[in-house]
Amino acid sequence: MAYDKNNIFARILRGEIPCKAVYDDQYALAFHDIAPHAPVHILVIPKGEYESIIDFSAQASSEEVAGFWKAVSHVAREQGIAEDGCRILSNVGANGGQEVPHFHVHLLGGALLGPILFKKL
């Protein structure tokens, strides 16, 4: 499947749609989620055109991978959620609940989040 250059995160990266950014470097952009599920809910996206963590891991350079994950850690520290704990989540594909076809992680914290709830089959 070809990368959709008109997905909302691609448009945010091009500056066509505003976001409430908390971090921006050559590898990643981090911004507040518009529908937060925790007191701190930040989305971190790579600057490259990657559909999922699977695509990113297979296609990104070692420098991009390292730069992205360093950005995630930096944002967690800067947002004050690294020490008490946080959740880092990435959905993959339709069955995994991915809504935007651009790799991103949800960085959640600021409260006791409890266990991840799984649907029983």
Side-chain angles (χ1 to χ4, degrees), residues 23 25-29 44-46 56 61-74:
Y23 183 84
D25 72 7
Q26 65 185 359
Y27 303 109
L29 174 66
V44 186
I45 64 175
F56 179 71
S61 69
S62 296
E63 186 176 285
E64 287 176 291
V65 171
F68 176 80
W69 290 109
K70 285 183 180 186
V72 171
S73 295
H74 176 83

Side-chain angles (χ1 to χ4, degrees), residues 85-108:
C86 59
R87 181 169 293 148
I88 300 171
L89 173 72
S90 181
N91 300 315
V92 177
N95 283 351
Q98 185 175 0
E99 294 178 9
V100 178
H102 183 106
F103 169 49
H104 58 286
V105 298
H106 296 260
L107 186 54
L108 303 122

